[in-house]
Amino acid sequence: MALSTILLVVLLLGFSGYAAAEVSSRSTYIVHMAKSEMPASFQHHTHWYDASLKSASDSAEMLYTYSNAIHGFSTQLTPEEAEMLKFQPGVLFVLPELKYELHTTRTPEFLGLDQNNELFPESQSASDVIIGVLDTGVWPESKSFDDSGLGPVPASWKGTCEVGTNFSSSACNRKLIGARYFSKGYEATLGPIDTSKESKSPRDDDGHGTHTSTTAAGSVVTGASLFGYAPGTARGMATRARIAAYKVCWLGGCFSSDILMAIDQAIDDNVNVLSMSLGGGMSDYFRDSVAIGAFSAMEKGILISCSAGNAGPSAYSLSNSAPWITTVGAGTLDRDFPAFLSLGNGKNFSGVSLYRGNSEATALEMTPFIYAGNASNSTSGNLCMMGSLIPEKVKGKIVMCDRGVNARVQKGTVVKAAGGVGMVLSNTGANGEELVADAHLLPATAVGQKNADLIKSYLFSDPNPTAAILFEGTKVGIEPSPVVAAFSSRGPNSITPDILKPDMVAPGVNILAGWSGAVGPTGLAVDSRRVAFNIISGTSMSCPHVSGLAALLKGAHPEWSPAAIRSALMTTAYTAYKSGQKLQDVATGKPSTPFDHGAGHVDPVSALNPGLVYDLTVDDYLNFLCALNYTETEITSLAKRKFTCDESKSYSVRDLNYPSFAVNLETGSSSKSTVSKYSRTLTNVGPAGTYKVTVTQDNPNVKITVEPESLSFAAANEKKSYTVSFAVTGSLPTSTLNSFGRLEWSDGKHIVGSPIAISWS
């Protein structure tokens, strides 16, 4: 071979290696553009976007171009190229992609929908409402997508049923009217989708997306259950609403470029409600893709419902905190799945389980019992991690495993693989007394921390401990219920402390809904069982409850704005049981607070007729951004148009017309009392009437004054304003830095309630 040829080969190899290195160092960025600044020389904004990109990188290509959720595009760049692009004319922001995570039939009866169906008219408008669900896709064969009795697809629908792996256009019908998938961002980061492991299509191989969409709007299915647990009729919140599935979550997570494109498309498709049971970190609204896309959806009259997150009971743990998003925490139902543990010393302890073996056996007889920490050479042996148990010590025994690190159901597979015949899953301090039922692969029960400590005391003191597990099936009428789930993420709002979040709680523990046929109820690869319905927990489950209820309200009141619908759900939510006792927090065993439950637990029947609502317009939210001192560039990235804050105007976050009050008092060292004023406006959506205000609170050293104390409405849609003043009149305790209260307007028929959370430092 000639020397020149060899040199050429070496050079080519060198360049190709350099190119490969350059590509591998690239990551995905979302580029926000000021579309109004497009030079006249460009005929279309996409040509301008492409030229802007080429000015920073010769080889980068656009993954997506966005027209609705934002103005801009996503692409893969090196850090140097991204920095260069920031300074191109018309570029507002170049933001790195973020990865979001999923927040993972008793409900209609529990919410009173079964006895009050006649209150929600089965009009054409009820079946014209379209719920877009951003999740892991959909399993179209589920009976919950049966379209019997539904009329033609709404004329407003502009979407489609995309074809892909194991998914044809015939998978859609008059219930599941659309299905799309978005994978370019995912594949750009993690490589091509392995279609032997997941479907490159709207098909749901995970189960989560089918569960959330059927919770929101699944059709009525009789004889539903999971292995006989929770038997009865399964139905979504809005059985006549239509479903549009947008698959944005894959095995490797949910990527912001895909989420943003799905929102962009859903706006074009004309959905009425967007349901997103996912979340990422906590960042400013102009950096959060969900918040940015949700702002654009709100501008188009779409209500956005998002899960608060599963990072509770820690304070400041919630995500999706933008005020144009309806943020939903989780509560329990009045249903449980008891599985009792009997010890060799005669003592019995209550737990929960969804285990169902191959036989009709309802118990595991008295069996030798061992603590996992004593059957392992690992320092974390108590957690039953993969390969951590010694088979000789475990074989033929029930094993007690502590919660934490790996999945609850996976601990059972570890025990089973080591020869164990049963498991007791024990809560630690992180979980307290919260019990979440699982469809374990071996006989198992989960117990709370207090019971766990007593059981461990027996295990450590008895030379030959034994135990038996008795499975009791399904029990309803559990009291108290609801209680706030310990995992449900809590306030205060870390991004904007003056906006109270979450907005409300809804059922999110042990929820029965449709499931994927591609995976077992545990989601584990070793689980070969297949079910039509599954029972799972998370704020992922509470979010679609509210999405479905919002669709019901939209069907009954097509003229209501997203803010009016959220207000109706918030101001009619309840914070006490029928006994008068306050809602409980399972994490503490004490009454929950507005930082836990927001306005309270949803009550859809009352929400249908709230009397008054706190409405909001796009301009109200823009003024809110001015109050946050956002720059013109930051506001433009959200609003997609130039909006300049009026320098002569005094903007205040406290004046956003929100249905709740988060009051942050600046006490300082001065003896002079601090006064904080909040203004609100109520819109009449009921009959004429006079409303009088009452205020209750638990701190006598904060005086709350409402002016005026009475509001009279003569006509529908009439608006009346009031102010609330909070004044410190005495010394505030240092042992606690919060107090709570409630403000209610009532005409004798309607109660329009708002939670109050007061904080000081």
Side-chain angles (χ1 to χ4, degrees), residues 92-146:
L92 297 170
F93 288 105
V94 180
L95 301 177
E97 175 152 75
L98 297 174
K99 189 170 83 166
Y100 291 73
E101 302 291 345
L102 294 166
H103 288 151
T104 217
T105 54
R106 179 81 187 142
T107 320
E109 293 91 332
F110 185 67
L111 294 174
L113 294 177
D114 60 323
Q115 298 168 356
N116 295 279
N117 274 336
E118 69 280 357
L119 297 177
F120 293 90
E122 290 209 359
S123 62
Q124 184 59 41
S125 61
S127 62
D128 280 347
V129 180
I130 303 164
I131 304 175
V133 183
L134 273 66
D135 213 296
T136 63
V138 72
W139 190 262
E141 293 80 10
S142 170
K143 291 181 181 178
S144 296
F145 297 118
D146 181 20

Short mmCIF file of all heavy atoms in Angstrom, two decimals, residues 92-146:
data_model
loop_
_atom_site.label_atom_id
_atom_site.label_comp_id
_atom_site.label_asym_id
_atom_site.label_seq_id
_atom_site.Cartn_x
_atom_site.Cartn_y
_atom_site.Cartn_z
N LEU A 92 -33.34 33.51 23.32
CA LEU A 92 -33.66 33.92 24.69
C LEU A 92 -32.88 33.10 25.71
O LEU A 92 -32.21 33.63 26.59
CB LEU A 92 -35.17 33.75 24.94
CG LEU A 92 -36.10 34.62 24.09
CD1 LEU A 92 -37.55 34.17 24.29
CD2 LEU A 92 -35.95 36.09 24.45
N PHE A 93 -33.00 31.77 25.60
CA PHE A 93 -32.33 30.87 26.53
C PHE A 93 -31.89 29.61 25.80
O PHE A 93 -32.57 29.16 24.87
CB PHE A 93 -33.26 30.44 27.68
CG PHE A 93 -33.54 31.53 28.68
CD1 PHE A 93 -34.75 32.19 28.68
CD2 PHE A 93 -32.59 31.91 29.62
CE1 PHE A 93 -35.02 33.19 29.59
CE2 PHE A 93 -32.84 32.90 30.52
CZ PHE A 93 -34.06 33.55 30.51
N VAL A 94 -30.79 29.04 26.25
CA VAL A 94 -30.36 27.71 25.80
C VAL A 94 -30.25 26.88 27.07
O VAL A 94 -29.30 27.00 27.84
CB VAL A 94 -29.00 27.77 25.07
CG1 VAL A 94 -28.59 26.37 24.62
CG2 VAL A 94 -29.08 28.71 23.87
N LEU A 95 -31.27 26.05 27.31
CA LEU A 95 -31.37 25.34 28.58
C LEU A 95 -31.08 23.86 28.41
O LEU A 95 -31.61 23.22 27.48
CB LEU A 95 -32.78 25.51 29.18
CG LEU A 95 -33.22 26.96 29.46
CD1 LEU A 95 -34.64 26.98 29.98
CD2 LEU A 95 -32.29 27.62 30.46
N PRO A 96 -30.26 23.28 29.28
CA PRO A 96 -29.98 21.84 29.18
C PRO A 96 -31.23 21.02 29.46
O PRO A 96 -32.09 21.41 30.27
CB PRO A 96 -28.92 21.60 30.25
CG PRO A 96 -29.06 22.75 31.20
CD PRO A 96 -29.54 23.92 30.39
N GLU A 97 -31.35 19.90 28.78
CA GLU A 97 -32.49 19.01 28.98
C GLU A 97 -32.48 18.44 30.39
O GLU A 97 -31.43 18.17 30.97
CB GLU A 97 -32.44 17.87 27.97
CG GLU A 97 -33.52 16.82 28.19
CD GLU A 97 -33.90 16.14 26.90
OE1 GLU A 97 -33.13 15.30 26.43
OE2 GLU A 97 -34.96 16.45 26.38
N LEU A 98 -33.68 18.25 30.95
CA LEU A 98 -33.83 17.64 32.26
C LEU A 98 -34.56 16.32 32.12
O LEU A 98 -35.39 16.15 31.22
CB LEU A 98 -34.62 18.55 33.20
CG LEU A 98 -34.00 19.91 33.54
CD1 LEU A 98 -34.97 20.74 34.35
CD2 LEU A 98 -32.69 19.71 34.30
N LYS A 99 -34.26 15.39 33.01
CA LYS A 99 -34.99 14.12 33.02
C LYS A 99 -36.02 14.17 34.14
O LYS A 99 -35.71 14.51 35.27
CB LYS A 99 -34.04 12.94 33.23
CG LYS A 99 -34.74 11.59 33.02
CD LYS A 99 -33.76 10.43 32.99
CE LYS A 99 -33.38 9.97 34.38
NZ LYS A 99 -32.70 8.66 34.37
N TYR A 100 -37.25 13.85 33.80
CA TYR A 100 -38.34 13.81 34.77
C TYR A 100 -38.67 12.35 35.10
O TYR A 100 -38.37 11.45 34.32
CB TYR A 100 -39.59 14.50 34.21
CG TYR A 100 -39.45 16.01 34.07
CD1 TYR A 100 -38.66 16.57 33.08
CD2 TYR A 100 -40.10 16.87 34.95
CE1 TYR A 100 -38.51 17.94 32.95
CE2 TYR A 100 -39.96 18.25 34.83
CZ TYR A 100 -39.17 18.78 33.84
OH TYR A 100 -39.03 20.14 33.72
N GLU A 101 -39.28 12.15 36.26
CA GLU A 101 -39.64 10.80 36.69
C GLU A 101 -41.14 10.70 36.92
O GLU A 101 -41.79 11.68 37.28
CB GLU A 101 -38.90 10.44 38.00
CG GLU A 101 -37.38 10.51 37.90
CD GLU A 101 -36.77 9.43 37.02
OE1 GLU A 101 -37.49 8.45 36.70
OE2 GLU A 101 -35.59 9.55 36.65
N LEU A 102 -41.67 9.49 36.74
CA LEU A 102 -43.08 9.24 37.06
C LEU A 102 -43.28 9.26 38.57
O LEU A 102 -42.44 8.80 39.33
CB LEU A 102 -43.50 7.87 36.51
CG LEU A 102 -43.50 7.74 34.99
CD1 LEU A 102 -43.58 6.29 34.58
CD2 LEU A 102 -44.65 8.53 34.38
N HIS A 103 -44.38 9.80 39.00
CA HIS A 103 -44.72 9.84 40.43
C HIS A 103 -45.69 8.66 40.73
O HIS A 103 -46.91 8.85 40.70
CB HIS A 103 -45.41 11.15 40.77
CG HIS A 103 -44.49 12.33 40.77
ND1 HIS A 103 -44.91 13.60 40.47
CD2 HIS A 103 -43.16 12.45 41.00
CE1 HIS A 103 -43.88 14.43 40.55
NE2 HIS A 103 -42.81 13.75 40.86
N THR A 104 -44.90 7.50 40.82
CA THR A 104 -45.81 6.40 41.03
C THR A 104 -46.15 5.88 42.37
O THR A 104 -45.27 5.97 43.18
CB THR A 104 -45.37 5.27 40.15
OG1 THR A 104 -46.41 4.60 39.65
CG2 THR A 104 -44.23 4.66 40.53
N THR A 105 -61.55 0.02 42.39
CA THR A 105 -62.72 0.80 42.11
C THR A 105 -63.67 1.37 43.12
O THR A 105 -64.77 1.71 42.83
CB THR A 105 -63.64 -0.14 41.39
OG1 THR A 105 -63.75 -1.22 42.21
CG2 THR A 105 -63.38 -0.27 39.98
N ARG A 106 -62.87 1.66 44.14
CA ARG A 106 -63.65 2.19 45.24
C ARG A 106 -63.81 3.69 45.08
O ARG A 106 -64.67 4.31 45.68
CB ARG A 106 -62.91 1.84 46.54
CG ARG A 106 -63.52 2.30 47.81
CD ARG A 106 -64.64 1.41 48.30
NE ARG A 106 -65.28 1.99 49.43
CZ ARG A 106 -66.56 1.94 49.67
NH1 ARG A 106 -67.34 1.30 48.86
NH2 ARG A 106 -67.07 2.51 50.74
N THR A 107 -62.98 4.30 44.24
CA THR A 107 -62.89 5.75 44.22
C THR A 107 -64.19 6.48 43.87
O THR A 107 -64.56 7.41 44.57
CB THR A 107 -61.78 6.19 43.23
OG1 THR A 107 -60.69 5.30 43.39
CG2 THR A 107 -61.33 7.58 43.49
N PRO A 108 -64.91 6.11 42.79
CA PRO A 108 -66.12 6.87 42.47
C PRO A 108 -67.14 6.88 43.62
O PRO A 108 -67.73 7.91 43.91
CB PRO A 108 -66.68 6.14 41.24
CG PRO A 108 -65.48 5.50 40.63
CD PRO A 108 -64.64 5.07 41.79
N GLU A 109 -67.30 5.71 44.29
CA GLU A 109 -68.22 5.66 45.42
C GLU A 109 -67.73 6.55 46.55
O GLU A 109 -68.48 7.28 47.18
CB GLU A 109 -68.37 4.22 45.94
CG GLU A 109 -69.05 3.27 44.95
CD GLU A 109 -68.07 2.57 44.04
OE1 GLU A 109 -66.98 3.13 43.79
OE2 GLU A 109 -68.38 1.46 43.58
N PHE A 110 -66.43 6.50 46.82
CA PHE A 110 -65.84 7.26 47.91
C PHE A 110 -66.02 8.76 47.68
O PHE A 110 -66.22 9.53 48.62
CB PHE A 110 -64.34 6.92 48.01
CG PHE A 110 -63.63 7.56 49.17
CD1 PHE A 110 -63.93 7.19 50.47
CD2 PHE A 110 -62.66 8.52 48.95
CE1 PHE A 110 -63.26 7.77 51.54
CE2 PHE A 110 -61.99 9.10 50.01
CZ PHE A 110 -62.29 8.72 51.31
N LEU A 111 -65.98 9.19 46.42
CA LEU A 111 -66.13 10.61 46.09
C LEU A 111 -67.60 11.01 45.90
O LEU A 111 -67.89 12.16 45.62
CB LEU A 111 -65.34 10.93 44.82
CG LEU A 111 -63.82 10.82 44.94
CD1 LEU A 111 -63.16 11.03 43.58
CD2 LEU A 111 -63.27 11.83 45.94
N GLY A 112 -68.51 10.03 46.02
CA GLY A 112 -69.93 10.34 45.91
C GLY A 112 -70.44 10.43 44.49
O GLY A 112 -71.54 10.92 44.24
N LEU A 113 -69.66 9.94 43.52
CA LEU A 113 -70.08 10.05 42.12
C LEU A 113 -71.13 9.01 41.75
O LEU A 113 -71.90 9.22 40.82
CB LEU A 113 -68.88 9.93 41.19
CG LEU A 113 -67.84 11.06 41.28
CD1 LEU A 113 -66.67 10.77 40.35
CD2 LEU A 113 -68.48 12.40 40.92
N ASP A 114 -71.15 7.89 42.47
CA ASP A 114 -72.09 6.83 42.10
C ASP A 114 -73.53 7.22 42.39
O ASP A 114 -74.45 6.86 41.66
CB ASP A 114 -71.74 5.53 42.85
CG ASP A 114 -71.81 5.70 44.37
OD1 ASP A 114 -71.43 6.79 44.85
OD2 ASP A 114 -72.25 4.75 45.04
N GLN A 115 -73.76 7.97 43.47
CA GLN A 115 -75.12 8.32 43.86
C GLN A 115 -75.55 9.68 43.31
O GLN A 115 -76.66 10.11 43.52
CB GLN A 115 -75.22 8.35 45.39
CG GLN A 115 -74.95 6.99 46.02
CD GLN A 115 -74.75 7.09 47.53
OE1 GLN A 115 -74.74 8.17 48.09
NE2 GLN A 115 -74.60 5.94 48.17
N ASN A 116 -74.64 10.34 42.64
CA ASN A 116 -74.94 11.70 42.17
C ASN A 116 -74.70 11.86 40.68
O ASN A 116 -74.40 12.95 40.21
CB ASN A 116 -74.09 12.71 42.95
CG ASN A 116 -74.43 12.74 44.43
OD1 ASN A 116 -75.40 13.36 44.84
ND2 ASN A 116 -73.63 12.04 45.23
N ASN A 117 -74.82 10.75 39.94
CA ASN A 117 -74.58 10.82 38.50
C ASN A 117 -75.51 11.81 37.81
O ASN A 117 -75.13 12.46 36.84
CB ASN A 117 -74.76 9.43 37.85
CG ASN A 117 -73.48 8.61 37.92
OD1 ASN A 117 -72.40 9.17 38.02
ND2 ASN A 117 -73.62 7.30 37.89
N GLU A 118 -76.72 11.93 38.35
CA GLU A 118 -77.69 12.80 37.70
C GLU A 118 -77.28 14.27 37.80
O GLU A 118 -77.74 15.12 37.04
CB GLU A 118 -79.08 12.60 38.30
CG GLU A 118 -79.25 13.08 39.76
CD GLU A 118 -78.69 12.10 40.78
OE1 GLU A 118 -78.22 11.01 40.38
OE2 GLU A 118 -78.75 12.41 41.98
N LEU A 119 -76.39 14.60 38.76
CA LEU A 119 -75.93 15.97 38.90
C LEU A 119 -74.99 16.37 37.78
O LEU A 119 -74.82 17.53 37.46
CB LEU A 119 -75.23 16.17 40.25
CG LEU A 119 -76.10 15.96 41.50
CD1 LEU A 119 -75.24 16.12 42.74
CD2 LEU A 119 -77.26 16.96 41.52
N PHE A 120 -74.33 15.36 37.20
CA PHE A 120 -73.40 15.61 36.09
C PHE A 120 -74.11 15.24 34.80
O PHE A 120 -74.22 14.07 34.47
CB PHE A 120 -72.13 14.80 36.27
CG PHE A 120 -71.32 15.23 37.45
CD1 PHE A 120 -71.52 14.66 38.70
CD2 PHE A 120 -70.36 16.23 37.31
CE1 PHE A 120 -70.78 15.07 39.79
CE2 PHE A 120 -69.61 16.64 38.41
CZ PHE A 120 -69.83 16.07 39.66
N PRO A 121 -74.65 16.21 34.10
CA PRO A 121 -75.49 15.92 32.93
C PRO A 121 -74.75 15.13 31.86
O PRO A 121 -73.61 15.45 31.53
CB PRO A 121 -75.88 17.31 32.43
CG PRO A 121 -74.81 18.22 32.95
CD PRO A 121 -74.39 17.64 34.27
N GLU A 122 -75.41 14.09 31.34
CA GLU A 122 -74.80 13.31 30.25
C GLU A 122 -75.11 13.99 28.93
O GLU A 122 -75.70 13.43 28.02
CB GLU A 122 -75.35 11.88 30.28
CG GLU A 122 -74.85 11.08 31.46
CD GLU A 122 -74.76 9.60 31.16
OE1 GLU A 122 -75.10 9.20 30.04
OE2 GLU A 122 -74.35 8.85 32.05
N SER A 123 -74.72 15.26 28.87
CA SER A 123 -74.96 16.05 27.66
C SER A 123 -73.87 15.78 26.64
O SER A 123 -72.89 15.10 26.92
CB SER A 123 -74.97 17.53 28.03
OG SER A 123 -73.70 17.89 28.55
N GLN A 124 -74.06 16.34 25.46
CA GLN A 124 -73.03 16.19 24.43
C GLN A 124 -71.73 16.83 24.89
O GLN A 124 -70.65 16.34 24.60
CB GLN A 124 -73.51 16.83 23.12
CG GLN A 124 -72.54 16.64 21.95
CD GLN A 124 -72.28 15.17 21.64
OE1 GLN A 124 -73.19 14.36 21.65
NE2 GLN A 124 -71.02 14.83 21.38
N SER A 125 -71.86 17.95 25.67
CA SER A 125 -70.65 18.64 26.11
C SER A 125 -69.81 17.76 27.02
O SER A 125 -68.58 17.86 27.04
CB SER A 125 -71.01 19.95 26.83
OG SER A 125 -71.80 19.69 27.98
N ALA A 126 -70.45 16.85 27.79
CA ALA A 126 -69.70 15.96 28.67
C ALA A 126 -68.83 15.00 27.88
O ALA A 126 -67.73 14.65 28.31
CB ALA A 126 -70.66 15.18 29.58
N SER A 127 -69.31 14.57 26.72
CA SER A 127 -68.53 13.63 25.92
C SER A 127 -67.67 14.34 24.87
O SER A 127 -66.97 13.71 24.09
CB SER A 127 -69.44 12.60 25.24
OG SER A 127 -70.32 13.23 24.36
N ASP A 128 -67.73 15.68 24.87
CA ASP A 128 -66.86 16.45 23.98
C ASP A 128 -65.55 16.82 24.66
O ASP A 128 -64.65 17.36 24.02
CB ASP A 128 -67.57 17.74 23.54
CG ASP A 128 -68.56 17.49 22.40
OD1 ASP A 128 -68.50 16.39 21.81
OD2 ASP A 128 -69.38 18.37 22.13
N VAL A 129 -65.46 16.56 25.97
CA VAL A 129 -64.25 16.93 26.71
C VAL A 129 -63.15 15.90 26.44
O VAL A 129 -63.38 14.69 26.51
CB VAL A 129 -64.54 17.03 28.23
CG1 VAL A 129 -63.26 17.40 28.98
CG2 VAL A 129 -65.63 18.05 28.49
N ILE A 130 -61.95 16.39 26.12
CA ILE A 130 -60.82 15.52 25.78
C ILE A 130 -59.72 15.69 26.81
O ILE A 130 -59.26 16.81 27.06
CB ILE A 130 -60.29 15.86 24.37
CG1 ILE A 130 -61.40 15.74 23.32
CG2 ILE A 130 -59.10 14.97 24.01
CD1 ILE A 130 -61.07 16.42 22.00
N ILE A 131 -59.30 14.57 27.41
CA ILE A 131 -58.21 14.59 28.39
C ILE A 131 -56.95 14.04 27.73
O ILE A 131 -56.92 12.90 27.27
CB ILE A 131 -58.55 13.73 29.63
CG1 ILE A 131 -59.86 14.20 30.27
CG2 ILE A 131 -57.41 13.77 30.64
CD1 ILE A 131 -60.32 13.32 31.42
N GLY A 132 -55.91 14.86 27.67
CA GLY A 132 -54.61 14.41 27.18
C GLY A 132 -53.77 13.92 28.35
O GLY A 132 -53.63 14.62 29.35
N VAL A 133 -53.24 12.72 28.23
CA VAL A 133 -52.45 12.12 29.31
C VAL A 133 -51.02 11.92 28.84
O VAL A 133 -50.76 11.15 27.90
CB VAL A 133 -53.06 10.77 29.76
CG1 VAL A 133 -52.27 10.19 30.94
CG2 VAL A 133 -54.52 10.94 30.17
N LEU A 134 -50.06 12.60 29.46
CA LEU A 134 -48.64 12.44 29.15
C LEU A 134 -48.06 11.42 30.10
O LEU A 134 -47.99 11.65 31.32
CB LEU A 134 -47.89 13.78 29.30
CG LEU A 134 -47.87 14.69 28.07
CD1 LEU A 134 -49.27 15.19 27.74
CD2 LEU A 134 -46.93 15.86 28.29
N ASP A 135 -47.65 10.26 29.58
CA ASP A 135 -47.25 9.17 30.47
C ASP A 135 -46.47 8.12 29.67
O ASP A 135 -45.77 8.46 28.72
CB ASP A 135 -48.51 8.58 31.12
CG ASP A 135 -48.24 8.08 32.54
OD1 ASP A 135 -47.45 7.14 32.69
OD2 ASP A 135 -48.82 8.63 33.49
N THR A 136 -46.64 6.85 30.03
CA THR A 136 -45.90 5.76 29.38
C THR A 136 -46.66 5.16 28.20
O THR A 136 -46.28 4.11 27.69
CB THR A 136 -45.59 4.63 30.38
OG1 THR A 136 -46.84 4.07 30.85
CG2 THR A 136 -44.79 5.13 31.57
N GLY A 137 -47.74 5.82 27.77
CA GLY A 137 -48.50 5.30 26.65
C GLY A 137 -49.78 4.64 27.11
O GLY A 137 -50.30 4.92 28.19
N VAL A 138 -50.28 3.70 26.30
CA VAL A 138 -51.60 3.14 26.56
C VAL A 138 -51.66 1.69 26.06
O VAL A 138 -50.99 1.32 25.09
CB VAL A 138 -52.66 4.04 25.87
CG1 VAL A 138 -52.62 3.88 24.37
CG2 VAL A 138 -54.05 3.81 26.41
N TRP A 139 -52.44 0.87 26.75
CA TRP A 139 -52.72 -0.51 26.33
C TRP A 139 -54.14 -0.52 25.77
O TRP A 139 -55.11 -0.65 26.52
CB TRP A 139 -52.58 -1.47 27.51
CG TRP A 139 -52.62 -2.92 27.12
CD1 TRP A 139 -53.70 -3.76 27.18
CD2 TRP A 139 -51.52 -3.71 26.62
NE1 TRP A 139 -53.35 -5.01 26.73
CE2 TRP A 139 -52.03 -5.02 26.38
CE3 TRP A 139 -50.19 -3.44 26.34
CZ2 TRP A 139 -51.23 -6.04 25.89
CZ3 TRP A 139 -49.39 -4.46 25.85
CH2 TRP A 139 -49.91 -5.75 25.63
N PRO A 140 -54.31 -0.35 24.46
CA PRO A 140 -55.64 -0.09 23.91
C PRO A 140 -56.63 -1.23 24.08
O PRO A 140 -57.85 -1.02 24.00
CB PRO A 140 -55.35 0.19 22.43
CG PRO A 140 -54.04 -0.48 22.16
CD PRO A 140 -53.27 -0.38 23.43
N GLU A 141 -56.12 -2.45 24.31
CA GLU A 141 -57.03 -3.60 24.46
C GLU A 141 -57.76 -3.62 25.80
O GLU A 141 -58.68 -4.40 26.00
CB GLU A 141 -56.25 -4.91 24.29
CG GLU A 141 -55.71 -5.14 22.88
CD GLU A 141 -54.43 -4.38 22.58
OE1 GLU A 141 -53.84 -3.81 23.53
OE2 GLU A 141 -54.03 -4.33 21.41
N SER A 142 -57.36 -2.76 26.74
CA SER A 142 -58.02 -2.72 28.05
C SER A 142 -59.51 -2.44 27.88
O SER A 142 -59.92 -1.59 27.08
CB SER A 142 -57.40 -1.63 28.92
OG SER A 142 -58.18 -1.42 30.08
N LYS A 143 -60.33 -3.17 28.63
CA LYS A 143 -61.79 -2.96 28.56
C LYS A 143 -62.17 -1.55 28.97
O LYS A 143 -63.26 -1.07 28.65
CB LYS A 143 -62.50 -3.99 29.46
CG LYS A 143 -62.42 -5.42 28.96
CD LYS A 143 -63.16 -6.37 29.89
CE LYS A 143 -63.08 -7.81 29.40
NZ LYS A 143 -63.77 -8.74 30.35
N SER A 144 -61.27 -0.88 29.70
CA SER A 144 -61.56 0.49 30.14
C SER A 144 -61.60 1.48 28.98
O SER A 144 -62.05 2.61 29.14
CB SER A 144 -60.52 0.94 31.16
OG SER A 144 -60.60 0.15 32.33
N PHE A 145 -61.14 1.04 27.80
CA PHE A 145 -61.20 1.90 26.62
C PHE A 145 -62.35 1.51 25.69
O PHE A 145 -62.38 1.93 24.52
CB PHE A 145 -59.87 1.86 25.85
CG PHE A 145 -58.71 2.39 26.64
CD1 PHE A 145 -57.63 1.56 26.95
CD2 PHE A 145 -58.69 3.69 27.11
CE1 PHE A 145 -56.56 2.03 27.68
CE2 PHE A 145 -57.63 4.17 27.85
CZ PHE A 145 -56.56 3.34 28.14
N ASP A 146 -63.29 0.73 26.17
CA ASP A 146 -64.47 0.35 25.39
C ASP A 146 -65.26 1.63 25.06
O ASP A 146 -65.52 2.45 25.95
CB ASP A 146 -65.32 -0.62 26.20
CG ASP A 146 -66.56 -1.07 25.46
OD1 ASP A 146 -66.59 -0.95 24.21
OD2 ASP A 146 -67.51 -1.53 26.11
#
